[in-house]
C-alpha cells in the first residue's frame, strides 16, 4: 500500500467549505459490521453520508473499548482521495476550487464563497485550470472523532497523524495544564478541527466561555459509551441555549437520534446529526440519511441566505466578519 503523509487540513484559507444550511449527517461507525469497517465506511458515503462519526473509547472514561489511532489510520488509507484542487478566475478574482465528492466548493480571495454543483453552468467562471490531483490529501473524507477518553491531550498527536479531521473531546475529561483553552489550542496546532461534548448530566453553561474558540459543540442525548439507548428529549434546551448564543456554530447531537426524534433536535437548533441504530438497522439506509438531512433543511436554525448555490460558514475567526457581510446583504 502506498504510504501517505500525515493528514492535514489546508491552512491557506480560513474559510470552511461547507454549506450555510450545514445539513450534516454522520453515521456512527460503531454500529456497522466491524469485521468490514472499511467497506461499510465507503457504503455510508455511497448512501449520502457527509461525515463518518468515529466513537473512540478508552475503557476508562466510559466502560467500553473501541477504536484507536491505528483503526482511524486504516480507514483513512482505505478510502479514496476525493479532492481535486483547481485555480481560476471569477470576475477577475483569483479562485481556489475544491472538489468534494460530487460538488465544487469555490472560495475567492475576496471572501465570497459559493457551493457550485457539478454539471451546472456558471458563465462568470473562466479559465479553470487543474493544478494537481489529491494535493496533500487536504480535503479527504471527513472523520469526526468523538474522543471518549480520560486524557484527551494524550491522543491529540496520534489522532492527527492517523487522519482525524475533527477532534471532539469531552468537557468532563481530565485537562492538561492551562485547562480547556490549552487543549483547544493544542488540537488546532495539530491541524485538526476542534469540538467539545457535554454529557447529559453536565449543565450547558459550562460551554459558553469556549463557543468562539470551537468549530463545533456536541450535545449527548444518551449517556456516552454504548449505542442503542433511548433518546433523552430533556436535552433539547441545551441545544437551544447554544444556538441562541452562536447562530453560526455547528451543533451536533448524538444518541438515540432517528427519523422519529430528529425533528426535536433540528427545531432546537442542531444541524449535525449523528445516528447509529436508526441507519444501520434500517433496510433503507440511504433513505434514513435523507430523512435526517431533510429535517435540518426544513427546521434548521442559524442558516444564512445564499446566492448562486449555497454560501459557506467560516471558521471561528471569520464569523464576525461574515455576520457583517450577511447583514449588508439582507439590509
Amino acid at each position: 500500500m502506498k504510504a501517505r503523509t500525515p493528514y492535514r487540513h489546508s491552512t491557506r484559507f480560513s474559510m470552511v467549505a461547507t454549506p450555510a444550511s450545514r445539513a450534516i449527517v454522520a453515521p456512527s461507525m460503531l454500529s456497522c459490521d466491524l469485521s468490514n469497517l472499511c467497506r461499510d465506511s465507503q457504503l455510508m458515503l455511497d448512501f449520502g453520508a457527509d461525515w463518518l462519526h468515529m466513537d473512540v473509547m478508552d475503557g476508562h472514561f466510559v466502560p467500553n473499548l473501541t477504536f484507536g489511532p491505528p483503526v482511524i489510520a486504516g480507514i483513512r488509507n482505505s478510502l479514496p482521495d476525493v479532492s481535486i484542487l483547481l485555480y481560476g478566475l471569477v470576475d477577475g478574482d483569483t479562485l481556489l476550487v475544491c472538489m468534494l465528492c460530487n460538488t465544487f466548493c469555490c472560495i475567492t480571495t475576496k471572501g465570497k464563497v459559493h457551493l457550485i454543483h457539478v454539471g451546472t453552468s456558471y458563465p462568470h467562471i473562466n479559465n479553470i485550470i487543474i493544478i494537481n490531483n489529491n494535493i496533500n490529501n487536504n480535503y479527504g473524507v471527513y472523520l469526526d472523532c468523538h474522543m471518549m477518553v480520560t486524557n484527551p491531550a494524550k491522543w491529540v498527536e496520534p489522532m492527527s497523524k492517523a487522519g482525524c479531521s475533527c477532534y471532539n473531546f469531552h468537557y468532563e475529561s481530565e485537562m492538561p495544564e492551562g485547562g480547556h483553552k490549552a487543549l483547544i489550542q493544542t488540537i488546532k496546532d495539530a491541524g485538526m478541527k476542534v469540538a467539545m461534548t457535554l454529557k447529559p448530566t453536565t449543565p450547558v453553561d459550562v460551554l459558553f466561555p469556549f463557543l468562539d474558540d470551537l468549530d463545533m459543540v456536541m450535545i449527548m442525548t444518551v449517556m456516552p459509551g454504548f449505542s442503542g439507548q433511548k433518546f433523552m428529549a430533556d436535552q433539547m434546551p441545551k441545544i437551544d441555549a447554544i444556538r441562541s448564543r452562536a447562530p453560526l456554530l455547528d451543533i451536533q447531537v448524538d444518541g438515540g437520534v432517528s427519523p422519529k426524534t430528529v425533528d426535536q433536535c433540528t427545531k432546537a437548533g442542531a444541524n449535525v446529526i449523528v445516528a447509529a441504530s436508526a441507519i444501520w438497522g434500517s433496510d433503507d439506509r440511504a433513505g434514513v440519511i435523507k430523512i435526517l438531512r431533510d429535517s435540518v433543511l426544513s427546521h434548521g436554525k442559524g442558516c444564512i441566505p445564499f446566492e448562486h448555490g449555497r454560501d459557506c460558514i467560516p471558521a471561528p475567526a471569520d464569523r464576525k466578519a461574515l455576520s457583517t457581510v450577511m447583514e449588508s446583504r439582507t439590509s
Side-chain angles (χ1 to χ4, degrees):
M1 181 179 292
K2 181 182 177 181
R4 298 191 184 186
T5 57
Y7 182 81
R8 289 291 186 274
H9 289 281
S10 172
T11 56
R12 177 168 183 164
F13 292 91
S14 58
M15 304 292 279
V16 179
T18 38
S21 51
R22 200 71 174 152
I24 301 295
V25 179
S28 173
M29 300 308 297
L30 184 61
S31 293
C32 78
D33 176 359
L34 294 177
S35 65
N36 289 288
L37 178 57
C38 294
R39 180 206 66 186
D40 283 0
S41 296
Q42 183 61 58
L43 187 66
M44 287 296 101
L45 299 173
D46 294 341
F47 284 159
D50 303 284
W51 299 352
L52 299 179
H53 185 80
M54 311 303 299
D55 289 304
V56 179
M57 307 180 191
D58 65 357
H60 297 281
F61 185 76
V62 292
N64 201 355
L65 188 65
T66 59
F67 312 123
V71 174
I72 301 301
I75 294 173
R76 169 65 65 204
N77 289 331
S78 75
L79 296 174
D81 295 330
V82 297
S83 62
I84 301 177
L85 302 188
L86 310 94
Y87 284 96
L89 296 176
V90 174
D91 297 330
D93 187 20
T94 304
L95 172 70
L96 171 67
V97 184
C98 304
M99 183 176 180
L100 301 182
C101 297
N102 295 315
T103 60
F104 281 133
C105 295
C106 304
I107 308 175
T108 77
T109 56
K110 293 179 181 177
K112 191 171 184 180
V113 186
H114 305 292
L115 184 71
I116 297 179
H117 295 273
V118 172
T120 304
S121 175
Y122 287 84
H124 61 288
I125 298 182
N126 303 302
N127 304 321
I128 296 298
I129 303 171
I130 296 179
I131 300 298
N132 200 355
N133 189 19
N134 305 322
I135 298 177
N136 296 327
N137 194 25
N138 280 335
Y139 291 91
V141 175
Y142 198 93
L143 299 182
D144 171 36
C145 298
H146 177 194
M147 304 299 296
M148 287 170 273
V149 298
T150 299
N151 183 4
K154 174 182 177 180
W155 299 104
V156 171
E157 183 177 353
M159 291 297 290
S160 176
K161 290 180 178 179
C164 169
S165 304
C166 180
Y167 194 96
N168 185 353
F169 70 93
H170 270 261
Y171 172 86
E172 303 88 357
S173 299
E174 295 178 2
M175 289 297 111
E177 183 178 353
H180 296 81
K181 291 267 189 180
L183 179 57
I184 289 170
Q185 189 59 52
T186 298
I187 295 168
K188 291 180 178 180
D189 291 344
M192 296 178 287
K193 300 299 179 185
V194 58
M196 193 185 296
T197 292
L198 286 188
K199 289 182 178 180
T201 52
T202 304
V204 69
D205 57 359
V206 300
L207 281 179
F208 296 163
F210 309 107
L211 295 182
D212 288 340
D213 302 314
L214 297 169
D215 296 291
M216 183 175 74
V217 298
M218 185 166 80
I219 298 300
M220 294 292 296
T221 46
V222 298
M223 290 302 295
F226 298 94
S227 63
Q229 300 179 60
K230 186 178 179 180
F231 175 79
M232 299 171 68
D234 60 358
Q235 299 300 300
M236 296 304 100
K238 292 182 180 180
I239 298 175
D240 185 71
I242 296 168
R243 178 59 71 209
S244 65
R245 289 166 173 80
L248 301 181
L249 182 67
D250 281 333
I251 301 178
Q252 188 175 65
V253 62
D254 181 11
V257 182
S258 71
K260 293 182 179 179
T261 59
V262 67
D263 284 355
Q264 297 178 62
C265 303
T266 57
K267 287 178 180 178
N271 66 296
V272 183
I273 309 301
V274 176
S277 304
I279 294 175
W280 294 104
S282 173
D283 293 330
D284 183 11
R285 294 169 179 174
V288 173
I289 290 172
K290 183 179 185 302
I291 289 171
L292 300 177
R293 178 179 293 104
D294 287 348
S295 179
V296 178
L297 296 175
S298 297
H299 306 296
K301 298 181 180 180
C303 299
I304 303 170
F306 55 84
E307 314 169 50
H308 305 301
R310 299 176 185 170
D311 288 310
C312 300
I313 288 181
D318 300 303
R319 285 191 187 121
K320 184 176 181 180
L322 183 72
S323 296
T324 302
V325 172
M326 295 314 303
E327 287 173 5
S328 67
R329 288 189 194 179
T330 55
S331 60

